[in-house]
Amino acid sequence: MPLRVELKPFERIVIGQSVITNSDSRTTFLIDGDAPILREKDILTADTANTPVKRVYLCVQMMYLQNDIPAYQDLYLGFIKELLEAVPSFRDTIEATSNLILSGQLYKALRELRPLIKREEELLQR
């Protein structure tokens, strides 16, 4: 079943190795296939990955976009070690994320991490 995507004016989306930028009007299209897809709002860059959770997210994002878990495995393990030392209460979510990665469900692993980014921001504001 194709994925229906609606883009706002000038919104970007990554499909596989390509970045697509919408024109000046709202657009809806269907994507059929198994290429990795991320909307602009869900993408982190090396510059914006400035906290432990964001570094973990960026690492999983690269696994997903490159379709290469082994290339980022050591980096991921280092990042989760750093994160769990800083915030041990995140262990359950990190274990769930790791299980999703091991089963090849990288997009679901990214979705699992998104609430941690918000929670981490709340903790940092205290």
Side-chain angles (χ1 to χ4, degrees):
M1 180 167 172
L3 173 66
R4 179 187 164 118
V5 176
E6 185 171 320
L7 295 179
K8 298 174 190 170
F10 304 105
E11 185 178 10
R12 292 181 290 191
I13 188 170
V14 174
I15 301 176
Q17 299 295 317
S18 301
V19 177
I20 297 170
T21 304
N22 192 19
S23 64
D24 60 351
S25 61
R26 194 176 227 35
T27 304
T28 301
F29 57 97
L30 301 175
I31 302 169
D32 203 1
D34 60 356
I37 299 167
L38 279 179
R39 296 177 76 95
E40 181 176 18
K41 67 179 181 159
D42 297 325
I43 297 171
L44 284 182
T45 65
D47 292 335
T48 58
N50 55 3
T51 66
V53 174
K54 288 180 180 180
R55 284 189 281 278
V56 170
Y57 184 95
L58 178 63
C59 188
V60 176
Q61 174 185 293
M62 295 310 298
M63 289 177 186
Y64 175 63
L65 292 175
Q66 300 292 323
N67 195 24
D68 192 355
I69 295 170
Y72 297 94
Q73 185 174 347
D74 290 340
L75 195 57
Y76 174 77
L77 293 173
F79 287 152
I80 62 170
K81 181 177 185 257
E82 173 191 356
L83 173 60
L84 292 176
E85 286 173 359
V87 191
S89 63
F90 286 1
R91 179 170 303 282
D92 289 344
T93 303
I94 294 302
E95 285 179 2
T97 300
S98 296
N99 287 332
L100 289 167
I101 292 169
L102 289 172
S103 65
Q105 299 178 68
L106 297 170
Y107 185 79
K108 286 183 179 180
L110 290 171
R111 279 195 350 226
E112 187 77 22
L113 288 169
R114 286 184 197 130
L116 281 190
I117 292 173
K118 290 180 182 174
R119 179 72 180 121
E120 181 182 50
E121 288 172 3
E122 292 169 1
L123 290 173
L124 291 172
Q125 289 177 356
R126 290 183 180 178

